[in-house]
Amino acid sequence: MKWRIAGVAALGTCLALYVVIHIGFGTVVAAVGRVGLGGFGVLCLYGLALCPLLAAAWFALLPRNGGRYFGVLVWARMVREAASDILPFSNIGGIALGARAAILHRVPAPLAFASTLVDVTTELLAQIAFIALGLAILSRHGPATQFSASLDKYVLIGLALAVIGGAVLLALQRYGHRLTSQIAARLLPRAATHTASVGAMLDAIYATRARVALSCAVHFAAWIASGTATWIAFRLMGAHVDFLLTIAVEAFVGAVRSAAVLVPSGLGVQEAAYALLAPLLGVGAEFGLAVSLLKRGRDIVLAVPILLISQAVEGRRMLAGAEVIDPE
């Protein structure tokens, strides 16, 4: 598995380099340079501000007595995002590390893992709605070109597959507790003794449909906020792009990254998607690639200290002989 991930990461890196060389290194650097350090700082602060919103979607799933865990979930979500953004494994590994971070801060293991599974599901459902919004925007406001017409068709097919995938994921969580427990044991081996409680916790979470719906709504708001960050990046480079079309582009880039879930950090895939879709906004591919690189830089700046602190916390607990998994 490690060699497979390394091979996929290498292919993604080669794709990213090819896109940069094909578009022109100088033009991309010039576009990035227009943002400046101040603009880059704005993007970093905006990205950091998204974490409490993402944590709120996770927090909405917890029972009423889980109010004391909001700060923990903010940190755990930051760890999840940091690991998914820069560590050399797929997003699945980041999800596992996020759940582990919550457990390290005394969130009961069954609750941490079950709520993580549901949070990933509600995020996917919100993304499906976000992609549908992007498709509607492109159909109504997009340029009438052969490329946009073909894009409509492929996005519609992808949207249908995503709906099927979301339905399967929901069914597995509601009725496939045995498989869910096996996944829990695989992702968090030290939590294996608690996996019998995960199914019961999943039932308890899904029994409160209003909380699940609220989590979906907050995640949808977070997707809109992510698209706004992309619009801000274009504007900082001096590109006067349409806000609604930028939301559509962000929806499609997110869809491509989700489809390439096994590619670590979406290497190459994200860069190619932004470069390919930038002309829909009336700007050159170099602007799209520059936005992708700015986001990569932002992710590195935010993720490195988060992961270092996370490892320091875990190392300190191990040295102190503390249990990593809460026995509750």
Side-chain angles (χ1 to χ4, degrees), residues 52-183:
L53 183 60
L54 292 169
W58 189 357
F59 178 76
L61 300 169
L62 270 58
R64 292 180 180 178
N65 61 355
R68 65 186 185 276
Y69 294 129
F70 180 72
V72 172
L73 296 188
V74 172
W75 172 248
R77 185 68 205 220
M78 290 170 70
V79 172
R80 185 201 299 184
E81 293 298 310
S84 298
D85 287 337
I86 69 169
L87 290 184
F89 46 62
S90 68
N91 292 339
I92 297 173
I95 292 168
L97 285 182
R100 182 178 178 85
I103 294 168
L104 277 170
H105 289 82
R106 301 303 176 186
V107 177
L111 176 61
F113 190 79
S115 63
T116 295
L117 282 179
V118 182
D119 181 57
V120 170
T121 304
T122 56
E123 188 170 11
L124 172 62
L125 296 177
Q127 186 181 19
I128 291 172
F130 186 52
I131 296 170
L133 174 64
L135 185 60
I137 291 172
L138 182 63
S139 299
R140 187 174 181 84
H141 300 284
T145 63
Q146 185 176 358
F147 173 68
S148 61
S150 300
L151 185 62
D152 279 349
K153 180 177 67 175
Y154 288 120
V155 170
L156 189 59
I157 294 173
L159 187 61
L161 293 175
V163 170
I164 295 172
V168 171
L169 188 59
L170 276 172
L172 286 175
Q173 291 177 40
R174 294 305 309 275
Y175 309 110
H177 290 170
R178 184 174 181 180
L179 179 60
T180 302
S181 296
Q182 291 175 353
I183 295 173

Side-chain angles (χ1 to χ4, degrees), residues 213-232:
L214 178 59
S215 179
C216 288
V218 177
H219 271 306
F220 184 77
W223 281 112
I224 296 292
S226 177
T228 303
T230 300
W231 178 78
I232 292 172

Side-chain angles (χ1 to χ4, degrees), residues 297-319:
R298 178 203 63 188
D299 293 342
I300 293 172
V301 168
L302 296 179
V304 169
I306 290 171
L307 292 177
L308 288 176
I309 294 171
S310 175
Q311 288 302 302
V313 170
E314 184 162 352
R316 186 175 60 200
R317 287 183 178 273
M318 291 180 65
L319 288 175

Side-chain angles (χ1 to χ4, degrees), residues 238-283:
H240 295 277
V241 297
D242 182 80
F243 175 76
L244 289 179
L245 281 177
T246 306
I247 294 295
V249 166
E250 185 65 20
F252 300 153
V253 171
V256 172
R257 281 204 55 166
S258 295
V261 64
L262 296 180
V263 180
S265 305
L267 279 172
V269 175
Q270 175 178 296
E271 285 69 27
Y274 273 116
L276 183 64
L277 295 172
L280 291 175
L281 302 173
V283 296

Side-chain angles (χ1 to χ4, degrees), residues 17-43:
L17 291 174
Y18 171 78
V19 173
V20 172
I21 294 171
H22 179 73
I23 293 175
F25 181 77
T27 56
V28 175
V29 170
V32 172
R34 294 177 187 175
V35 174
L37 288 177
F40 183 68
V42 169
L43 292 176

